[in-house]
Amino acid sequence: MRCSVADVQTVLTELRTGQTFTGTHHETFAMRREQADAVNRTHAYLHSIWKEDMHAVPRFLWNAKMRFGKTFTACQFAKKLGASAYWW
């Protein structure tokens, strides 16, 4: 069977994490402290608003510096909320 190094890395990551990846996404890494803090604060804020009014549409702005990783952090936040997407 022929496969690339990236394919092997992806399979090894899938076995190690128990997740299935699409393509050759074998890189996994944890959030930095400030990213985890942003996710936790946003999660707590949204749930506090929803306790008052479950139909509310809360807004929370991350005033994040460049190179913060807003897209990655937003995806981690979506995971924490239990949102689903085809690529994670």
Side-chain angles (χ1 to χ4, degrees):
M1 178 153 90
R2 291 180 164 235
C3 59
S4 68
V5 173
D7 292 332
V8 173
Q9 290 173 326
T10 300
V11 170
L12 292 174
T13 302
E14 288 177 339
L15 291 171
R16 188 175 60 249
T17 63
Q19 297 177 329
T20 303
F21 297 101
T22 59
T24 56
H25 296 104
H26 63 276
E27 298 289 333
T28 59
F29 49 92
M31 288 186 288
R32 294 188 310 268
R33 182 189 47 77
E34 64 269 16
Q35 291 170 324
D37 186 43
V39 167
N40 293 333
R41 285 180 185 215
T42 307
H43 189 264
Y45 171 75
L46 265 59
H47 281 285
S48 71
I49 296 297
W50 288 333
K51 281 182 184 176
E52 295 173 14
D53 178 7
M54 63 185 280
H55 300 292
V57 182
R59 299 183 191 282
F60 194 93
L61 176 64
W62 287 341
N63 188 15
K65 61 186 178 203
M66 289 180 61
R67 310 297 302 162
F68 173 77
K70 291 179 284 295
T71 302
F72 170 71
T73 307
C75 290
Q76 297 302 312
F77 175 66
K79 280 184 179 181
K80 185 167 182 150
L81 280 180
S84 64
Y86 67 94
W87 50 271
W88 62 58

